[in-house]
Each structure stands twice: as structure tokens, then as C-alpha cells.
Amino acid sequence: MKKTFLIAAVTFLSISSYATTWSYNCSGGGKVIFTSSDDTTVKQATAMGRAWCDNR
């Protein structure tokens, strides 16, 4: 459920006109690259990256 919500949120935000690309290095190896709105904070982006790593 979390993964589906995260994918939907990232997909929605990536089609917005104001977007920033973020990357997050997973603790077990690998890297997540995603797009979110310009008003996303570093703390929010870190939480989204961590959630993606935990649910893959």
C-alpha cells in the first residue's frame, strides 16, 4: 500500500510544472532517483527516499 501511494505521489508530482529531482542512497546498496515539487524540503525528500528503499 505504501509503495503504491509513493509511486502515485511521485508520478503526480513529476508531471507538475515545478519539479526538482532528488536522489537517495539506500543503506543496503542502490540509489533511488525521483522527482517532486519545488517546495519539497530535504527532510521530506529523505523520508520519501527511505520509504522507497524500505518497500522495494
Side-chain angles (χ1 to χ4, degrees):
M1 179 74 172
K2 285 184 195 178
K3 188 174 182 178
T4 303
F5 174 75
L6 183 61
I7 291 170
V10 171
T11 301
F12 173 75
L13 293 172
S14 68
I15 61 174
S16 67
S17 59
Y18 302 104
T20 301
T21 301
W22 298 88
S23 65
Y24 181 82
N25 294 319
C26 299
S27 61
K31 185 175 193 175
V32 176
I33 299 173
F34 58 95
T35 304
S36 67
S37 64
D38 272 348
D39 61 350
T40 300
T41 66
V42 172
K43 189 173 182 179
Q44 290 170 326
T46 301
M48 287 189 282
R50 186 178 301 125
W52 183 271
C53 290
D54 290 345
N55 287 306
R56 63 181 167 127

